[in-house]
Amino acid sequence: MAKKVAVIGAGVSGLISPKCCVDEGLEPTCFEGTEDIGGLWRFKDNVEDGRASIYQSVITNTSKEMSCFSDFPMPEDFPNFLHNSKLLEYFRIFAKNFDLLKYIQFQTIVLSVKKRLDFSSSGQEVVTESQGKEHSAVFDAVMVCSGHHILPHVPLESFPGIERFKGQYFHSRQYKHPEGFERKRILVIGIGNSASDIAVELSKKAAQVFISTRQGSWVMGRISEHGYPWDMVLHTRFRSMLQNVLPRTVLKWMMEQQMSRWFNHENYGLVPQNKYLLKEPVINGDLPSHILYGAIKVKSRGELTETSVIFEDGTVEEDIDVIVFATGYTFSFPFLEDSLVKVENNMVSLYKYIFPPHLEKSTFACIGLIQPLASIFPTVELQARWVTRVFKGVCTLPSERTMMADIIKRNKERINLFGESQSQILQTSYINYLDELALEIGAKPDLFSLLLKDPKLAVQLYFGPCNSCQYCLMGPGRWEGARGAILTQKQRILKPLKTRTLEPPRNFPVSFQLKILGLLTVVVAFFQFQWF
């Protein structure tokens, strides 16, 4: 059984992993290269090499109820969608509550992770650097939690003429705030969440902003039916069941109907090129209105000159000052030897996106190298819960042959569902994947059993939002407060919204209401008679 576990990184994945280690009786040591926790979600004014970077205005695209860890709901007075600073506050509360900081070695960079010659009977050697000194230690197991938003993907070869362009261009990783872009004509390349956020923010200062996209995308706001957060409406077990059983053409029609309730994407130049792909929609409530009043114009791809862009439809936009490449990220593990994980064509073969299938023993795992169609927080938590039980020896992996077959099958399904573009390499479904992981550790809720014992809860689980608390109702990691947290979600959603005291409406007797209705009918009939 693995006992000493090295955790690399103290972002979202690196916070939950030590907790899961402790829950299973393992001894974690977390190495964090910077001075604080938070990873991607800790904003800094400057861009640092080897660290994820966000812009100052970033707000979560997934709601607090769908983004909390399973046994630690966010405070009810927190807003439903959190500014990055508020999310970081939640991480600090979480870390303090479970006393996680004592397991983290800050300002410690991992230089290398290698299998020892006697790997089958020992483990992996981790070499770190802190305060200019190198240290080496042997760990029974390793959890890589370094994320995949560090190395920018800038495919300059796909943009003819870029070498002649005389203006400024940079990756969205470099963007921090709109100051300095006043009265500029700006081209944003890409149509993901970062591209849309940056385009909207810049359009408030710039002379004109253009979004260049070849693929297009569905766009939706954070607010859904009856004003509830979008993910609490869309991510339910009932909807997941429909997606699993309905034909693809029906799903395509349902998606179009859902996305077109707000506005006609074709009229705005945003309609996806391939509607059959279940790609992640852009979450941005401001983008359509900014297009509507002309602050943003949606264009196709184009060729660059010294100062202009010639688009594929023949139109030309002159005097372009700045180009922002919001073209995603690639990933790499420079501290890992190829015998552990090898990245080829920006892909890596991992069983269920976690375990290398070829190792003699299952003591190495990647956490968070995935992009679910919802919040990543519950996803990495379940990954860590399963991994630590594998390390402990209470869960086992299948043979290498079985794992490789699963990897190949899963990749084909991913391409079929989401396509082959660079941005979809790590894409996966949400509830299906969570249930897979939960099944491995015995934490998937038994709906049939609950229907007999607790029908109120069972109905909520099936038709209500599928949040992380569902996965600590039973099995290892069971939390006594899970049922209450699930049944009080609505209370926590409404708490930060109801900040104005309203007088309760006066209730009139039904007979009085009928008399008023009859009187109004007589009055209307009288005036109609007078009109004729």
Side-chain angles (χ1 to χ4, degrees), residues 17-56:
S17 292
K19 178 185 179 297
C20 292
C21 285
V22 173
D23 289 345
E24 294 297 337
L26 306 178
E27 300 172 6
T29 301
C30 179
F31 300 109
E32 168 56 38
T34 69
E35 73 282 2
D36 204 354
I37 63 172
L40 171 71
W41 292 99
R42 182 165 58 87
F43 171 79
K44 295 194 75 171
D45 287 314
N46 57 308
V47 179
E48 299 176 349
D49 290 338
R51 182 179 179 271
S53 177
I54 56 173
Y55 37 98
Q56 192 172 30

Short mmCIF file of all heavy atoms in Angstrom, two decimals, residues 17-56:
data_model
loop_
_atom_site.label_atom_id
_atom_site.label_comp_id
_atom_site.label_asym_id
_atom_site.label_seq_id
_atom_site.Cartn_x
_atom_site.Cartn_y
_atom_site.Cartn_z
N SER A 17 -6.76 17.10 -3.34
CA SER A 17 -5.99 15.85 -3.30
C SER A 17 -5.40 15.55 -1.93
O SER A 17 -5.52 14.42 -1.44
CB SER A 17 -4.90 15.87 -4.38
OG SER A 17 -5.48 15.83 -5.67
N PRO A 18 -4.74 16.52 -1.25
CA PRO A 18 -4.26 16.21 0.10
C PRO A 18 -5.39 15.84 1.06
O PRO A 18 -5.22 14.97 1.92
CB PRO A 18 -3.57 17.51 0.53
CG PRO A 18 -3.19 18.19 -0.73
CD PRO A 18 -4.28 17.84 -1.70
N LYS A 19 -6.54 16.50 0.92
CA LYS A 19 -7.67 16.17 1.78
C LYS A 19 -8.09 14.71 1.58
O LYS A 19 -8.34 13.97 2.55
CB LYS A 19 -8.86 17.08 1.51
CG LYS A 19 -10.09 16.73 2.35
CD LYS A 19 -11.29 17.57 1.98
CE LYS A 19 -12.51 17.19 2.83
NZ LYS A 19 -12.96 15.80 2.60
N CYS A 20 -8.17 14.29 0.31
CA CYS A 20 -8.56 12.91 0.02
C CYS A 20 -7.50 11.94 0.53
O CYS A 20 -7.83 10.84 1.00
CB CYS A 20 -8.78 12.73 -1.47
SG CYS A 20 -10.22 13.62 -2.11
N CYS A 21 -6.23 12.33 0.44
CA CYS A 21 -5.16 11.49 0.99
C CYS A 21 -5.36 11.28 2.49
O CYS A 21 -5.29 10.15 2.98
CB CYS A 21 -3.80 12.14 0.73
SG CYS A 21 -3.19 12.03 -0.97
N VAL A 22 -5.59 12.37 3.20
CA VAL A 22 -5.77 12.29 4.65
C VAL A 22 -6.99 11.45 4.99
O VAL A 22 -6.97 10.64 5.93
CB VAL A 22 -5.89 13.71 5.24
CG1 VAL A 22 -6.25 13.64 6.72
CG2 VAL A 22 -4.60 14.48 5.05
N ASP A 23 -8.07 11.62 4.21
CA ASP A 23 -9.29 10.84 4.45
C ASP A 23 -9.03 9.33 4.35
O ASP A 23 -9.71 8.54 5.01
CB ASP A 23 -10.38 11.24 3.44
CG ASP A 23 -10.95 12.62 3.72
OD1 ASP A 23 -10.72 13.15 4.82
OD2 ASP A 23 -11.62 13.18 2.82
N GLU A 24 -8.05 8.97 3.51
CA GLU A 24 -7.76 7.54 3.31
C GLU A 24 -6.56 7.07 4.13
O GLU A 24 -6.05 5.97 3.93
CB GLU A 24 -7.50 7.26 1.82
CG GLU A 24 -8.71 7.47 0.93
CD GLU A 24 -9.86 6.54 1.26
OE1 GLU A 24 -9.59 5.46 1.86
OE2 GLU A 24 -11.01 6.86 0.93
N GLY A 25 -6.07 7.93 5.03
CA GLY A 25 -4.97 7.53 5.90
C GLY A 25 -3.60 7.61 5.24
O GLY A 25 -2.63 7.01 5.74
N LEU A 26 -3.48 8.33 4.13
CA LEU A 26 -2.20 8.51 3.45
C LEU A 26 -1.51 9.78 3.96
O LEU A 26 -2.13 10.62 4.61
CB LEU A 26 -2.42 8.58 1.94
CG LEU A 26 -3.20 7.42 1.31
CD1 LEU A 26 -3.40 7.64 -0.18
CD2 LEU A 26 -2.48 6.09 1.56
N GLU A 27 -0.25 9.92 3.65
CA GLU A 27 0.55 11.05 4.12
C GLU A 27 0.94 11.93 2.94
O GLU A 27 1.91 11.64 2.24
CB GLU A 27 1.80 10.56 4.84
CG GLU A 27 1.51 9.69 6.05
CD GLU A 27 2.77 9.06 6.63
OE1 GLU A 27 3.88 9.41 6.12
OE2 GLU A 27 2.66 8.23 7.54
N PRO A 28 0.21 13.03 2.68
CA PRO A 28 0.51 13.86 1.52
C PRO A 28 1.56 14.94 1.81
O PRO A 28 1.65 15.45 2.93
CB PRO A 28 -0.84 14.52 1.23
CG PRO A 28 -1.48 14.66 2.59
CD PRO A 28 -1.02 13.46 3.38
N THR A 29 2.34 15.26 0.80
CA THR A 29 3.20 16.43 0.80
C THR A 29 2.94 17.16 -0.51
O THR A 29 3.18 16.59 -1.59
CB THR A 29 4.69 16.06 0.89
OG1 THR A 29 4.92 15.33 2.10
CG2 THR A 29 5.55 17.32 0.89
N CYS A 30 2.45 18.37 -0.41
CA CYS A 30 2.08 19.14 -1.61
C CYS A 30 3.18 20.16 -1.90
O CYS A 30 3.59 20.92 -1.02
CB CYS A 30 0.74 19.84 -1.39
SG CYS A 30 0.22 20.84 -2.80
N PHE A 31 3.66 20.18 -3.15
CA PHE A 31 4.68 21.12 -3.57
C PHE A 31 4.05 22.20 -4.44
O PHE A 31 3.45 21.89 -5.49
CB PHE A 31 5.79 20.41 -4.34
CG PHE A 31 6.48 19.34 -3.56
CD1 PHE A 31 6.28 17.99 -3.85
CD2 PHE A 31 7.33 19.66 -2.52
CE1 PHE A 31 6.91 16.99 -3.14
CE2 PHE A 31 7.97 18.66 -1.78
CZ PHE A 31 7.77 17.33 -2.09
N GLU A 32 4.15 23.45 -4.02
CA GLU A 32 3.59 24.59 -4.75
C GLU A 32 4.71 25.58 -5.06
O GLU A 32 5.42 26.03 -4.15
CB GLU A 32 2.49 25.26 -3.93
CG GLU A 32 2.03 26.61 -4.44
CD GLU A 32 1.55 26.59 -5.88
OE1 GLU A 32 0.89 25.59 -6.28
OE2 GLU A 32 1.83 27.56 -6.61
N GLY A 33 4.86 25.90 -6.35
CA GLY A 33 5.96 26.75 -6.77
C GLY A 33 5.84 28.20 -6.36
O GLY A 33 6.84 28.92 -6.28
N THR A 34 4.62 28.66 -6.08
CA THR A 34 4.42 30.06 -5.69
C THR A 34 4.24 30.18 -4.18
O THR A 34 4.40 29.21 -3.44
CB THR A 34 3.20 30.65 -6.41
OG1 THR A 34 2.00 30.04 -5.90
CG2 THR A 34 3.27 30.41 -7.90
N GLU A 35 3.85 31.37 -3.75
CA GLU A 35 3.74 31.64 -2.32
C GLU A 35 2.35 31.42 -1.75
O GLU A 35 2.13 31.65 -0.56
CB GLU A 35 4.17 33.09 -2.04
CG GLU A 35 3.19 34.16 -2.48
CD GLU A 35 3.21 34.45 -3.98
OE1 GLU A 35 3.97 33.79 -4.71
OE2 GLU A 35 2.46 35.34 -4.41
N ASP A 36 1.39 30.94 -2.56
CA ASP A 36 0.02 30.86 -2.07
C ASP A 36 -0.75 29.79 -2.81
O ASP A 36 -0.31 29.27 -3.85
CB ASP A 36 -0.67 32.22 -2.26
CG ASP A 36 -1.84 32.44 -1.32
OD1 ASP A 36 -2.21 31.50 -0.60
OD2 ASP A 36 -2.39 33.56 -1.31
N ILE A 37 -1.94 29.47 -2.31
CA ILE A 37 -2.82 28.50 -2.94
C ILE A 37 -3.66 29.20 -4.03
O ILE A 37 -3.59 30.40 -4.20
CB ILE A 37 -3.77 27.85 -1.91
CG1 ILE A 37 -4.69 28.92 -1.29
CG2 ILE A 37 -3.00 27.13 -0.84
CD1 ILE A 37 -5.78 28.36 -0.40
N GLY A 38 -4.46 28.43 -4.75
CA GLY A 38 -5.42 29.00 -5.69
C GLY A 38 -5.15 28.71 -7.14
O GLY A 38 -6.07 28.70 -7.96
N GLY A 39 -3.88 28.52 -7.51
CA GLY A 39 -3.55 28.20 -8.89
C GLY A 39 -4.10 29.21 -9.87
O GLY A 39 -3.90 30.42 -9.74
N LEU A 40 -4.82 28.72 -10.85
CA LEU A 40 -5.42 29.54 -11.90
C LEU A 40 -6.25 30.69 -11.36
O LEU A 40 -6.30 31.78 -11.93
CB LEU A 40 -6.28 28.65 -12.80
CG LEU A 40 -7.16 29.33 -13.85
CD1 LEU A 40 -6.30 29.90 -14.97
CD2 LEU A 40 -8.18 28.34 -14.43
N TRP A 41 -6.91 30.46 -10.21
CA TRP A 41 -7.91 31.41 -9.71
C TRP A 41 -7.32 32.52 -8.84
O TRP A 41 -8.06 33.34 -8.32
CB TRP A 41 -9.01 30.65 -8.97
CG TRP A 41 -9.80 29.81 -9.90
CD1 TRP A 41 -9.66 28.47 -10.13
CD2 TRP A 41 -10.83 30.25 -10.78
NE1 TRP A 41 -10.54 28.07 -11.09
CE2 TRP A 41 -11.28 29.14 -11.51
CE3 TRP A 41 -11.42 31.50 -11.02
CZ2 TRP A 41 -12.28 29.23 -12.46
CZ3 TRP A 41 -12.42 31.59 -11.96
CH2 TRP A 41 -12.85 30.46 -12.67
N ARG A 42 -6.02 32.52 -8.68
CA ARG A 42 -5.40 33.61 -7.91
C ARG A 42 -4.83 34.63 -8.89
O ARG A 42 -3.80 34.44 -9.50
CB ARG A 42 -4.31 33.06 -6.99
CG ARG A 42 -3.66 34.13 -6.12
CD ARG A 42 -2.89 33.49 -4.98
NE ARG A 42 -1.86 32.57 -5.46
CZ ARG A 42 -0.61 32.94 -5.79
NH1 ARG A 42 -0.24 34.21 -5.70
NH2 ARG A 42 0.27 32.04 -6.18
N PHE A 43 -5.53 35.75 -9.02
CA PHE A 43 -5.13 36.79 -9.97
C PHE A 43 -3.87 37.51 -9.50
O PHE A 43 -3.71 37.82 -8.32
CB PHE A 43 -6.26 37.82 -10.13
CG PHE A 43 -5.85 39.04 -10.91
CD1 PHE A 43 -5.78 39.01 -12.29
CD2 PHE A 43 -5.50 40.22 -10.25
CE1 PHE A 43 -5.39 40.13 -13.01
CE2 PHE A 43 -5.12 41.34 -10.96
CZ PHE A 43 -5.05 41.30 -12.34
N LYS A 44 -2.99 37.77 -10.47
CA LYS A 44 -1.82 38.61 -10.22
C LYS A 44 -1.68 39.57 -11.40
O LYS A 44 -2.04 39.23 -12.54
CB LYS A 44 -0.54 37.78 -10.07
CG LYS A 44 -0.55 36.86 -8.85
CD LYS A 44 0.83 36.31 -8.54
CE LYS A 44 1.71 37.35 -7.89
NZ LYS A 44 2.98 36.77 -7.39
N ASP A 45 -1.17 40.77 -11.13
CA ASP A 45 -1.05 41.79 -12.16
C ASP A 45 -0.07 41.42 -13.26
O ASP A 45 -0.18 41.88 -14.39
CB ASP A 45 -0.63 43.13 -11.55
CG ASP A 45 -1.77 43.78 -10.78
OD1 ASP A 45 -2.88 43.83 -11.32
OD2 ASP A 45 -1.55 44.23 -9.64
N ASN A 46 0.91 40.61 -12.92
CA ASN A 46 1.92 40.23 -13.89
C ASN A 46 1.79 38.76 -14.27
O ASN A 46 1.30 37.94 -13.50
CB ASN A 46 3.32 40.51 -13.34
CG ASN A 46 3.56 39.78 -12.02
OD1 ASN A 46 2.76 39.90 -11.09
ND2 ASN A 46 4.64 39.02 -11.91
N VAL A 47 2.26 38.44 -15.47
CA VAL A 47 2.24 37.06 -15.95
C VAL A 47 3.54 36.39 -15.52
O VAL A 47 4.63 36.92 -15.75
CB VAL A 47 2.10 37.01 -17.48
CG1 VAL A 47 2.11 35.57 -17.98
CG2 VAL A 47 0.81 37.71 -17.91
N GLU A 48 3.43 35.22 -14.92
CA GLU A 48 4.60 34.50 -14.44
C GLU A 48 4.80 33.22 -15.24
O GLU A 48 3.85 32.50 -15.52
CB GLU A 48 4.44 34.16 -12.96
CG GLU A 48 4.30 35.37 -12.05
CD GLU A 48 4.05 34.98 -10.60
OE1 GLU A 48 3.78 33.79 -10.35
OE2 GLU A 48 4.11 35.86 -9.73
N ASP A 49 6.04 32.94 -15.61
CA ASP A 49 6.35 31.71 -16.32
C ASP A 49 6.01 30.50 -15.47
O ASP A 49 6.26 30.48 -14.26
CB ASP A 49 7.84 31.67 -16.68
CG ASP A 49 8.22 32.69 -17.76
OD1 ASP A 49 7.31 33.10 -18.50
OD2 ASP A 49 9.40 33.06 -17.84
N GLY A 50 5.43 29.51 -16.11
CA GLY A 50 5.12 28.27 -15.41
C GLY A 50 3.90 28.33 -14.52
O GLY A 50 3.63 27.39 -13.78
N ARG A 51 3.14 29.44 -14.61
CA ARG A 51 1.95 29.58 -13.78
C ARG A 51 0.77 30.06 -14.62
O ARG A 51 0.93 30.88 -15.52
CB ARG A 51 2.21 30.56 -12.64
CG ARG A 51 1.04 30.73 -11.70
CD ARG A 51 1.35 31.70 -10.56
NE ARG A 51 0.18 31.85 -9.70
CZ ARG A 51 -0.77 32.75 -9.90
NH1 ARG A 51 -0.68 33.60 -10.90
NH2 ARG A 51 -1.81 32.82 -9.08
N ALA A 52 -0.42 29.52 -14.35
CA ALA A 52 -1.61 29.95 -15.06
C ALA A 52 -1.89 31.43 -14.79
O ALA A 52 -1.49 31.97 -13.76
CB ALA A 52 -2.81 29.11 -14.62
N SER A 53 -2.55 32.07 -15.75
CA SER A 53 -2.79 33.51 -15.65
C SER A 53 -4.22 33.83 -16.07
O SER A 53 -4.71 33.29 -17.07
CB SER A 53 -1.80 34.26 -16.54
OG SER A 53 -2.04 35.65 -16.53
N ILE A 54 -4.88 34.70 -15.31
CA ILE A 54 -6.24 35.13 -15.65
C ILE A 54 -6.30 36.65 -15.67
O ILE A 54 -5.44 37.33 -15.15
CB ILE A 54 -7.29 34.59 -14.66
CG1 ILE A 54 -6.94 35.02 -13.22
CG2 ILE A 54 -7.44 33.09 -14.78
CD1 ILE A 54 -8.01 34.68 -12.19
N TYR A 55 -7.37 37.17 -16.30
CA TYR A 55 -7.59 38.61 -16.31
C TYR A 55 -8.39 39.00 -15.06
O TYR A 55 -9.05 38.17 -14.43
CB TYR A 55 -8.29 39.07 -17.59
CG TYR A 55 -9.33 38.12 -18.12
CD1 TYR A 55 -10.68 38.30 -17.87
CD2 TYR A 55 -8.95 37.02 -18.91
CE1 TYR A 55 -11.63 37.42 -18.36
CE2 TYR A 55 -9.89 36.14 -19.41
CZ TYR A 55 -11.23 36.34 -19.13
OH TYR A 55 -12.16 35.46 -19.62
N GLN A 56 -8.32 40.27 -14.73
CA GLN A 56 -8.82 40.74 -13.43
C GLN A 56 -10.32 40.54 -13.26
O GLN A 56 -10.80 40.33 -12.15
CB GLN A 56 -8.48 42.22 -13.27
CG GLN A 56 -8.69 42.76 -11.85
CD GLN A 56 -8.16 44.17 -11.71
OE1 GLN A 56 -8.14 44.93 -12.67
NE2 GLN A 56 -7.71 44.52 -10.51
#
